[in-house]
Amino acid sequence: MIRVVIADDQAMVREGFGALLDRQPDMSVVGHAGDGETAIEVCRRERPDVVLLDVRMPVMDGLQAARALLHGEVPPRVIILTTFDLDDYVFEALRAGASGFLLKDARADDLVQAVRVVVAGEALLAPTVTRRLIERYLFQEPALPPATSPLDALTPREIDVFALIARGLSNAEIAARLTLAEETVKTHVGRILAKLGLRDRVQAVVLAYESGFVSPGRG
């Protein structure tokens, strides 16, 4: 059973999302919060697998709450809820370790799928949105010097896979692009994350751009 906490300052959003997720046979909403501080308290008590965090909340915003939760002993997967797909907080949340973001006007099926996707260890990032976020928030960041690049630990094939992860491709899309079995791609992804000390694909995307391995606008 996937345990979920929903944090949003709008009661209708909390209740609507909660009712939808509670109807799923594999999900249970174990807590609600109307601000970031309460969200942290609820998560520490309930130990959810996934927390949906609104970006803009009173007392403590979603970004601050995400950082606190993701640095905890048993961090949940974090999905950031936002009204706009280029909200100023979104990329910072991804950089902090959130597993992705979801627009509040997303379809019901998209919300349910989002929870399942992040629990499975995938990133909730569409390629087009990944590109826009990166180009808006990271293209002016200085790249790490090549000598300090952690990517030296990767094999040539892992580098190929890493490059496609950086562009937001799913395992199935990477498999098709590189003519590999999807299970093989999954194995490569796991090894890449382990070698680079990354929690998930979102952090791989951030590293790819911060290190200068992938430049905005390329590919």
Side-chain angles (χ1 to χ4, degrees):
M1 185 68 68
I2 301 171
R3 296 167 59 82
V4 183
V5 165
I6 302 172
D8 194 293
D9 62 346
Q10 298 179 42
M12 289 183 64
V13 172
R14 295 196 305 270
E15 292 168 6
F17 283 5
L20 172 65
L21 297 180
D22 259 336
R23 288 199 299 268
Q24 307 308 310
D26 58 341
M27 298 181 193
S28 175
V29 177
V30 297
H32 296 264
D35 62 74
E37 190 172 279
T38 304
I40 292 173
E41 294 173 359
V42 172
C43 287
R44 286 175 176 167
R45 182 177 68 246
E46 299 295 340
R47 298 295 180 94
D49 301 297
V50 178
V51 56
L52 304 179
L53 280 177
D54 183 20
V55 166
R56 302 178 187 276
M57 291 187 289
V59 184
M60 178 186 289
D61 65 34
L63 177 57
Q64 293 172 298
R67 284 174 173 157
L69 290 170
L70 291 165
H71 284 86
E73 292 183 6
V74 186
R77 298 289 182 180
V78 171
I79 297 175
I80 297 296
L81 299 175
T82 180
T83 304
F84 305 103
D85 60 358
L86 286 179
D87 191 293
D88 288 345
Y89 289 101
V90 169
F91 184 75
E92 289 305 318
L94 297 181
R95 175 181 273 166
S99 294
F101 71 95
L102 190 70
L103 297 181
K104 286 188 179 181
D105 62 358
R107 299 176 307 169
D109 288 349
D110 291 337
L111 172 61
V112 173
Q113 180 64 13
V115 172
R116 292 183 178 135
V117 163
V118 299
V119 166
E122 295 281 348
L124 190 64
L125 290 172
T128 55
V129 177
T130 300
R131 190 173 301 115
R132 283 190 294 157
L133 281 169
I134 293 296
E135 291 185 0
R136 177 162 174 175
Y137 296 111
L138 198 58
F139 75 99
Q140 292 180 330
E141 298 273 338
L144 296 175
T148 65
S149 174
L151 305 183
D152 294 340
L154 302 184
T155 66
R157 176 54 83 187
E158 288 169 348
I159 287 290
D160 293 339
V161 174
F162 182 74
L164 297 178
I165 292 173
R167 292 182 172 82
L169 273 65
S170 67
N171 285 353
E173 291 167 332
I174 294 172
R177 184 75 65 89
L178 298 180
T179 319
L180 296 171
E182 190 170 344
E183 191 62 31
T184 300
V185 172
K186 184 176 180 180
T187 299
H188 281 310
V189 171
R191 288 175 178 167
I192 290 168
L193 297 181
K195 285 184 177 182
L196 299 180
L198 303 175
R199 183 180 176 195
D200 56 28
R201 301 164 79 100
V202 175
Q203 292 187 336
V205 171
V206 173
L207 175 63
Y209 283 86
E210 285 185 329
S211 67
F213 176 77
V214 173
S215 300
R218 270 180 47 193

